[in-house]
Amino acid sequence: METGLLFTTILLSMLAGVVVGKFFFDKKPVKSEDQPVSAINTPEPIPTGGGEDQHDMEDVELDEYLLTKKIFSVFVEEKVFRIHGLTVGQFAERLGVKQRVVTQVLEKLSGHSFKELINIYRIKYAVEKIEEGYLDKYTLDALGRDAGFSSRITFFNVFKREVGMCPKEYRKQYENIAA
Protein backbone atom coordinates (compact mmCIF):
# COMPACT_ATOMS: atom_id res chain seq x y z
CA MET A 1 0.00 0.00 0.00
CA GLU A 2 1.36 3.42 -0.88
CA THR A 3 2.61 5.64 1.94
CA GLY A 4 0.23 8.54 1.23
CA LEU A 5 -2.83 6.31 1.24
CA LEU A 6 -1.57 4.52 4.34
CA PHE A 7 -1.03 7.85 6.09
CA THR A 8 -4.50 9.06 5.15
CA THR A 9 -6.01 5.82 6.46
CA ILE A 10 -4.09 6.21 9.73
CA LEU A 11 -5.11 9.87 10.07
CA LEU A 12 -8.77 9.00 9.43
CA SER A 13 -8.55 6.19 12.01
CA MET A 14 -7.01 8.56 14.55
CA LEU A 15 -9.71 11.16 13.91
CA ALA A 16 -12.42 8.50 14.22
CA GLY A 17 -10.91 7.45 17.57
CA VAL A 18 -10.93 11.05 18.75
CA VAL A 19 -14.55 11.46 17.66
CA VAL A 20 -15.66 8.27 19.40
CA GLY A 21 -13.73 9.18 22.53
CA LYS A 22 -15.04 12.73 22.67
CA PHE A 23 -18.68 11.90 22.01
CA PHE A 24 -19.08 8.72 24.01
CA PHE A 25 -16.70 9.06 26.93
CA ASP A 26 -16.35 12.76 27.67
CA LYS A 27 -18.99 14.56 29.68
CA LYS A 28 -18.88 17.72 27.57
CA PRO A 29 -22.01 19.81 27.07
CA VAL A 30 -23.90 18.98 23.91
CA LYS A 31 -24.60 21.71 21.34
CA SER A 32 -28.01 23.20 21.92
CA GLU A 33 -30.35 23.74 18.99
CA ASP A 34 -30.20 27.53 19.30
CA GLN A 35 -26.38 27.59 19.26
CA PRO A 36 -25.08 28.54 15.80
CA VAL A 37 -23.27 25.81 13.87
CA SER A 38 -20.38 28.21 13.23
CA ALA A 39 -19.62 28.14 16.95
CA ILE A 40 -18.96 24.40 16.67
CA ASN A 41 -17.10 24.37 13.35
CA THR A 42 -14.71 27.26 13.98
CA PRO A 43 -12.14 26.41 16.65
CA GLU A 44 -10.83 29.07 18.95
CA PRO A 45 -7.06 29.28 19.42
CA ILE A 46 -5.65 26.74 21.84
CA PRO A 47 -4.83 28.39 25.19
CA THR A 48 -1.08 28.45 25.76
CA GLY A 49 -0.84 29.75 29.32
CA GLY A 50 0.65 27.62 32.08
CA GLY A 51 -0.87 26.36 35.31
CA GLU A 52 -4.29 25.40 34.00
CA ASP A 53 -6.66 23.62 36.36
CA GLN A 54 -8.59 20.48 35.33
CA HIS A 55 -11.38 22.50 33.68
CA ASP A 56 -8.88 24.42 31.57
CA MET A 57 -7.19 21.16 30.50
CA GLU A 58 -10.55 19.82 29.27
CA ASP A 59 -10.97 23.03 27.26
CA VAL A 60 -7.51 22.54 25.74
CA GLU A 61 -8.42 18.96 24.76
CA LEU A 62 -11.66 20.15 23.19
CA ASP A 63 -9.82 22.95 21.36
CA GLU A 64 -7.28 20.40 20.03
CA TYR A 65 -10.15 18.20 18.88
CA LEU A 66 -11.87 21.10 17.09
CA LEU A 67 -8.59 22.23 15.56
CA THR A 68 -7.92 18.66 14.39
CA LYS A 69 -11.34 18.57 12.73
CA LYS A 70 -10.71 21.93 11.08
CA ILE A 71 -7.26 20.89 9.83
CA PHE A 72 -8.68 17.72 8.35
CA SER A 73 -11.57 19.62 6.78
CA VAL A 74 -9.29 22.20 5.19
CA PHE A 75 -6.85 19.57 3.92
CA VAL A 76 -9.40 17.12 2.54
CA GLU A 77 -12.50 19.12 1.67
CA GLU A 78 -10.94 22.41 0.61
CA LYS A 79 -7.84 20.74 -0.86
CA VAL A 80 -5.52 23.55 0.20
CA PHE A 81 -2.56 21.28 -0.53
CA ARG A 82 -3.09 22.18 -4.21
CA ILE A 83 -2.14 25.83 -3.57
CA HIS A 84 1.33 26.52 -4.95
CA GLY A 85 3.79 27.78 -2.35
CA LEU A 86 1.41 27.35 0.60
CA THR A 87 3.27 27.94 3.86
CA VAL A 88 2.44 26.75 7.33
CA GLY A 89 2.00 30.42 8.28
CA GLN A 90 -0.65 30.94 5.59
CA PHE A 91 -2.36 27.70 6.59
CA ALA A 92 -2.37 28.71 10.27
CA GLU A 93 -3.79 32.11 9.36
CA ARG A 94 -6.58 30.41 7.42
CA LEU A 95 -7.37 28.35 10.54
CA GLY A 96 -7.15 31.37 12.83
CA VAL A 97 -4.41 29.96 15.06
CA LYS A 98 -0.71 30.50 15.59
CA GLN A 99 1.76 28.76 13.31
CA ARG A 100 3.46 26.88 16.14
CA VAL A 101 0.11 25.46 17.29
CA VAL A 102 -0.57 24.04 13.81
CA THR A 103 2.95 22.63 13.66
CA GLN A 104 2.57 20.97 17.07
CA VAL A 105 -0.83 19.46 16.29
CA LEU A 106 0.32 18.11 12.92
CA GLU A 107 3.44 16.57 14.46
CA LYS A 108 1.37 15.06 17.27
CA LEU A 109 -1.29 13.60 14.96
CA SER A 110 0.73 12.50 11.98
CA GLY A 111 4.39 12.55 12.88
CA HIS A 112 4.95 14.65 9.76
CA SER A 113 5.93 18.24 9.23
CA PHE A 114 3.53 20.55 7.41
CA LYS A 115 5.58 20.32 4.20
CA GLU A 116 5.67 16.52 4.35
CA LEU A 117 1.93 16.35 4.94
CA ILE A 118 1.21 18.72 2.06
CA ASN A 119 3.33 16.57 -0.25
CA ILE A 120 1.63 13.35 0.90
CA TYR A 121 -1.77 14.81 0.08
CA ARG A 122 -0.50 16.12 -3.26
CA ILE A 123 0.72 12.66 -4.23
CA LYS A 124 -2.50 11.04 -3.07
CA TYR A 125 -4.36 13.51 -5.30
CA ALA A 126 -2.02 12.78 -8.24
CA VAL A 127 -2.52 9.02 -7.84
CA GLU A 128 -6.30 9.47 -7.83
CA LYS A 129 -6.09 11.60 -10.96
CA ILE A 130 -3.91 9.04 -12.74
CA GLU A 131 -6.44 6.34 -11.86
CA GLU A 132 -9.28 8.55 -13.18
CA GLY A 133 -7.54 8.88 -16.57
CA TYR A 134 -6.21 12.44 -16.16
CA LEU A 135 -3.12 11.59 -18.20
CA ASP A 136 -5.27 10.61 -21.19
CA LYS A 137 -5.83 14.34 -21.77
CA TYR A 138 -3.03 16.10 -19.90
CA THR A 139 0.72 15.80 -19.35
CA LEU A 140 2.62 14.73 -16.25
CA ASP A 141 3.79 18.33 -15.89
CA ALA A 142 0.16 19.49 -15.84
CA LEU A 143 -0.68 16.84 -13.24
CA GLY A 144 2.18 17.99 -11.01
CA ARG A 145 1.08 21.62 -11.25
CA ASP A 146 -2.56 20.67 -10.69
CA ALA A 147 -1.56 18.73 -7.56
CA GLY A 148 0.22 21.83 -6.23
CA PHE A 149 3.86 21.22 -7.07
CA SER A 150 5.80 24.17 -8.46
CA SER A 151 8.48 22.03 -10.08
CA ARG A 152 8.48 18.87 -12.18
CA ILE A 153 11.57 17.57 -10.39
CA THR A 154 9.99 17.95 -6.97
CA PHE A 155 6.80 16.26 -8.18
CA PHE A 156 8.73 13.30 -9.58
CA ASN A 157 11.01 12.96 -6.53
CA VAL A 158 8.18 13.11 -4.01
CA PHE A 159 6.01 10.77 -6.11
CA LYS A 160 8.81 8.21 -6.31
CA ARG A 161 9.54 8.49 -2.57
CA GLU A 162 5.87 8.07 -1.60
CA VAL A 163 4.72 5.52 -4.20
CA GLY A 164 7.97 3.70 -4.94
CA MET A 165 8.00 4.45 -8.67
CA CYS A 166 7.77 7.44 -10.97
CA PRO A 167 4.33 8.63 -12.17
CA LYS A 168 4.76 7.17 -15.65
CA GLU A 169 5.63 3.73 -14.23
CA TYR A 170 2.66 3.96 -11.85
CA ARG A 171 0.33 4.74 -14.74
CA LYS A 172 1.60 1.75 -16.76
CA GLN A 173 1.27 -0.55 -13.76
CA TYR A 174 -2.23 0.74 -12.98
CA GLU A 175 -3.36 0.34 -16.60
CA ASN A 176 -2.02 -3.24 -16.69
CA ILE A 177 -3.89 -4.12 -13.50
CA ALA A 178 -7.10 -2.38 -14.59
CA ALA A 179 -7.08 -4.08 -18.02
Side-chain angles (χ1 to χ4, degrees), residues 15-90:
L15 287 171
V18 170
V19 169
V20 169
K22 289 293 179 192
F23 288 110
F24 291 107
F25 300 112
D26 282 0
K27 303 297 184 222
K28 302 277 185 227
V30 179
K31 174 188 166 295
S32 68
E33 291 304 314
D34 53 26
Q35 184 179 12
V37 174
S38 61
I40 301 299
N41 293 333
T42 307
E44 294 297 318
I46 296 174
T48 57
E52 294 113 344
D53 61 17
Q54 183 61 32
H55 178 72
D56 289 339
M57 288 307 293
E58 289 175 0
D59 290 343
V60 169
E61 289 172 7
L62 182 59
D63 287 343
E64 280 184 353
Y65 165 72
L66 292 173
L67 180 57
T68 300
K69 269 182 62 176
K70 183 68 173 176
I71 287 171
F72 181 76
S73 171
V74 170
F75 260 95
V76 174
E77 295 167 10
E78 297 180 28
K79 297 183 180 181
V80 296
F81 56 86
R82 294 180 60 208
I83 299 171
H84 293 260
L86 180 68
T87 66
V88 68
Q90 293 165 332

Side-chain angles (χ1 to χ4, degrees), residues 98-113:
K98 294 181 180 178
Q99 179 176 327
R100 70 177 170 74
V101 173
V102 171
T103 303
Q104 290 170 349
V105 170
L106 289 177
E107 287 285 340
K108 181 179 177 181
L109 286 176
S110 69
H112 293 284
S113 70

Side-chain angles (χ1 to χ4, degrees), residues 120-135:
I120 288 168
Y121 273 89
R122 286 175 174 168
I123 296 305
K124 180 183 180 306
Y125 176 83
V127 165
E128 289 171 359
K129 288 297 185 184
I130 290 171
E131 292 174 0
E132 292 171 1
Y134 184 94
L135 294 176

